[in-house]
Amino acid sequence: MKSCELKCISLLTLAVLFFVSIQSCAPTSENKVVDDIVKQMSLEQKAQLVIGTGMYFSMPDSVRDKLPPMFGGAPKEDTPYNRMVDHIRTYLPGAAGNSAEFPELGITTQVLSDGPAGLRISPTREGDSNTYYCTAFPIGTVMASTWDTKLVETVGKAMGEEVLEYGSDVILGPALNIQRDPLCGRNFEYYSEDPLVAGKMAAAMVRGIQSNGVGTSIKHFVANNQETNRMSVNTIVSQRALREIYLRGFEIAVKESQPWTVMSSYNLLNGTYASESHDLLTNILRDDWGFKGYVMTDWGGGSDPVAQMLAGNDMVQPGSQQQIQAIIDGVNSGKMTEDQLNLNVKRILNIMTETPRYKGFVPSNKPDLEGHAEVTRQAAADGMVLLENNGVLPINQSVKNVAAFGNTSYDFISGGTGSGDVNEAYTISLIQGLENAGYSIDKGLQETYETYMKNTRAKANRPDNFLAAMMGGKIPVAEMDLDPAIAAKMAKTSDIALITIGRNAGEGGDREAKPGDFYLNQAEKDLIKNVSEAFHKEGKKAVVILNVSGVIETASWSSTPDAILCAWQPGQEGGNSVVDILTGKVNPSGKLAVSFPFTYDDTPTAKNFPGHAVESDGPADDTPDQSGFSFMQRVPWEVTYQEDIYVGYRYYNTFNVPVAYEFGYGKSYTTFEYSNLTLSSNEFSDKITVSIDVINSGNVAGREVVQVYASAPNGKMEKPEEELVAFGKTGLLQPGASETLTFTIDASLLASFDESSSSWIAEAGSYTLSVGASSTDIKAQDIFSISSDIKVGTVSNSLAPRKKIDTLHQ
Ligand code: BGC
């Protein structure tokens, strides 16, 4: 669409708004406006509002023609509704969905576009030579590894400006499911294995994004911790694990940042679709936590739109004609009252009155992409985790020539695949980052790799289907078998070796505990070994860079190179951010927000991931797959969370299972000393204040992530060895400088969920408070006691499992 057309539409919208705002001068303006609109709406319009307007992807007609109606493929009748749908789709090409627009009633569409690592829209538009690129920010796992909520808020602010200036109303993120198992294909979008980290990061991101006057949709609510049969998996989990692990991050985000919307997840939860669960969406989300916005389904989630409305899932996305009819029939048959539907409609309209589109904002289509490139560059560097460093980093100033090994050095991965992929203008590769910083890279080696990748891709079958179109169609290339003679030659001519190991993953599939995925394959093992040995022979060093979407096995090879930097998938400025760390321009300060186990079998979830097929016994089986795509199929399936509350470090540290790198771990180029741990009291009443001094005892400036863990007594409820209760990050401390960090621990942070009374209780007894540089590198400890049980709050008795779970115990 041309910009003048956009402006004309906006003027029209403004005129309507002017009319609406004249009508809405009454003191109770927002509600009165919404109440008045609802009174004027027909049943059909209400049904059309709660059901999305279908999904539309910009793609070749040959692909689109094969798509089912849900994706905008089938021909449609020329009706006013369909004309409206066609029209609103032009507002923001590439958006994931819209709500309906009724200008005659003052109802503007809400444009919903993916996230969470940046705004996902089409970079180009038919008949328009302008480009509409968005910033690919670092993935969620990087953001969490910064442990810096202020920085995350800054990233959110930048991301939200793109949402606003490109004319979207709500971004579908952040995503904060728990990284329950290292193989979940979407872990990259998620923050952590720990709910406090996930919740605090999500809250910061929501605050940042929403400070622009646009909305967020925190997702996927809840216990959607795998991609295998995600549409139909029944997640069986105890109420305690739900409350303490899986719901907790969402609770923090809702209470601390008031996201405009929540996206319910695809899976069933103890036998009921999340999107049809009144326990989840009304009892917990609204009654227990006070959520005020609206809930939308994940795209194609659930099976019964009426059940969804009744549960408190107010909008169904992407929506179909059949679903609109189901709502109308639901009211006409008495399955659902019109008052119920009005409630769902009002929640959507309440948010609508907050949107930029409703307020008449005219998007510039010119967000500050240059400024945001700086933001992403810094954020990514701050989230990289230095795993090993035997005195090689930062790179010595005498180093000038670099030999870059590994396909991924040349084909750097900025983020994962699927709806979380951003259409960015560029990705800075490792070699570009090196060249930008003035290093020479070996051109012969570059050519070898680039030719290999080009030839391999040319030979591969290019998948010409919807999924490929959605995933960006990039064909992954297996690591090249490097001739050891090349390594030997490079060791003579180059000053240092950098070896990048790449992994990608994304929506629609989980990873595998196999070579080439969780484990290194033979070519990668040989690469690290041969290059390291060749360079060591010449008295030179080799550094491994992990450009990965999630955890991989490291223990079997980590002592071979001289350093390992976990760069994750760091967004579009990735190569520059890595080089900022390698050169010491930025001192690494990231720490792991997820544990790195020795082997996959060491993980507490290995026995129960991704679950197993079951006899069909629920609504999932009757629901036809609307998409025609394998990853959207509904296979009767269940997964039981037997590990219960023992997720990640809660398991490793309680059951003494050694890991390769523990939760909270990360190295710096400097050292820190901790002193002066002070507790406000050793007798806990309603809260306790903890302070600690951190001094930079090394030679270069740096920042330290400080973690506070509590070990509770094993009383009525058994407790993990320790749980994170607070964290903070120092400012940039010059050598010799110190900072005092202060944390407040209230009873809610110490409480466990007692299923028998449906309440949170901090049990009486002696507690140990440990302040550490990681979950096991504890620097100072003190104890305090709680004299009698403190009941922190009673909540609804919701989501009880229908099957007995044989949960893990100490
Ligand atoms: C994903 C969501 C996404 C939605 C819209 C779904 O397949 O699970 O995370 O927001 O699509 O693209």
Side-chain angles (χ1 to χ4, degrees), residues 335-577:
K335 218 172 133 193
M336 166 174 67
T337 63
E338 192 155 355
D339 277 353
Q340 168 65 50
L341 185 58
N342 289 345
L343 184 63
N344 303 114
V345 165
K346 281 182 188 172
R347 290 182 184 139
I348 295 171
L349 294 181
N350 280 337
I351 292 297
M352 175 200 75
T353 60
E354 302 293 321
T355 60
R357 187 170 308 277
Y358 178 82
K359 291 180 174 166
F361 180 78
V362 182
S364 67
N365 281 313
K366 289 194 173 39
D368 180 12
L369 295 179
E370 269 178 37
H372 300 169
E374 267 312 302
V375 172
T376 183
R377 178 173 178 164
Q378 189 211 332
D382 280 9
M384 290 180 186
V385 184
L386 185 62
L387 298 178
E388 298 287 346
N389 186 18
N390 295 328
V392 52
L393 297 179
I395 294 176
N396 195 300
Q397 298 220 326
S398 63
V399 169
K400 302 274 179 262
N401 303 311
V402 179
F405 296 91
N407 304 340
T408 321
S409 290
Y410 302 88
D411 201 6
F412 216 67
I413 307 166
S414 59
T417 61
S419 59
D421 191 8
V422 179
N423 293 312
E424 68 271 34
Y426 61 86
T427 295
I428 301 288
S429 68
L430 177 68
I431 53 157
Q432 285 168 325
L434 289 165
E435 287 178 333
N436 290 344
Y439 291 99
S440 302
I441 57 141
D442 190 282
K443 293 290 174 190
L445 190 58
Q446 175 176 10
E447 208 189 315
T448 307
Y449 273 105
E450 288 183 346
T451 308
Y452 161 75
M453 286 192 285
K454 198 167 138 221
N455 292 345
T456 313
R457 286 205 166 108
K459 275 188 244 145
N461 292 329
R462 181 167 285 278
D464 177 28
N465 60 22
F466 164 75
L467 190 55
M470 191 174 161
M471 303 298 171
K474 195 152 191 196
I475 300 166
V477 176
E479 189 54 62
M480 181 177 85
D481 279 316
L482 183 85
D483 181 350
I486 298 184
K489 186 174 156 230
M490 288 302 130
K492 292 212 179 340
T493 54
S494 301
D495 302 326
I496 195 169
L498 300 182
I499 308 163
T500 310
I501 299 293
R503 289 287 182 276
N504 211 349
E507 190 175 346
D510 287 316
R511 297 173 55 204
E512 292 185 293
K514 290 198 176 144
D517 200 339
F518 185 77
Y519 295 97
L520 297 192
N521 64 20
Q522 200 54 48
E524 292 167 328
K525 287 184 194 162
D526 292 346
L527 176 69
I528 294 175
K529 183 169 172 287
N530 293 339
V531 170
S532 300
E533 281 178 5
F535 276 71
H536 291 165
K537 227 185 230 161
E538 301 296 329
K540 296 173 184 172
K541 308 281 189 187
V543 176
V544 169
I545 291 143
L546 300 179
N547 182 198
V548 295
S549 58
V551 173
I552 65 166
E553 188 275 333
T554 51
S556 67
W557 56 269
S558 59
S559 58
T560 310
D562 302 287
I564 306 174
L565 176 67
C566 181
W568 303 114
Q569 294 177 335
Q572 69 181 40
E573 287 283 324
N576 285 333
S577 310

Side-chain angles (χ1 to χ4, degrees), residues 587-654:
N587 187 351
S589 63
K591 296 204 181 185
L592 298 176
V594 57
S595 313
F596 273 50
F598 268 115
T599 70
Y600 177 68
D601 290 335
D602 286 344
T603 65
T605 45
K607 287 200 309 284
N608 291 293
F609 184 92
H612 55 90
V614 285
E615 289 292 304
S616 113
D617 69 346
D621 319 325
D622 311 328
T623 311
D625 167 33
Q626 300 173 46
S627 73
F629 301 105
S630 61
F631 74 112
M632 301 288 273
Q633 268 165 17
R634 294 176 193 239
V635 178
W637 196 265
E638 73 180 26
V639 60
T640 304
Y641 288 8
Q642 271 188 299
E643 73 286 351
D644 207 40
I645 55 168
Y646 297 107
V647 176
Y649 71 91
R650 285 172 167 75
Y651 168 75
Y652 300 117
N653 295 353
T654 306

Side-chain angles (χ1 to χ4, degrees), residues 55 57 96 114-115 172 186 189 219-220 224 227 230 263 266 298-299 419 470 507 631-632:
M55 201 172 195
F57 285 109
D114 271 304
L172 305 175
R186 291 184 88 171
E189 295 183 57
K219 67 187 186 184
H220 310 87
N224 179 183
E227 286 301 283
R230 64 179 185 162
M263 185 189 292
Y266 285 129
D298 198 346
W299 268 230
S419 59
M470 191 174 161
E507 190 175 346
F631 74 112
M632 301 288 273

Side-chain angles (χ1 to χ4, degrees), residues 726-744:
F727 59 88
K729 195 165 186 175
T730 66
L732 187 71
L733 296 178
Q734 296 302 323
S738 72
E739 186 176 324
T740 304
L741 280 90
T742 305
F743 308 94
T744 303

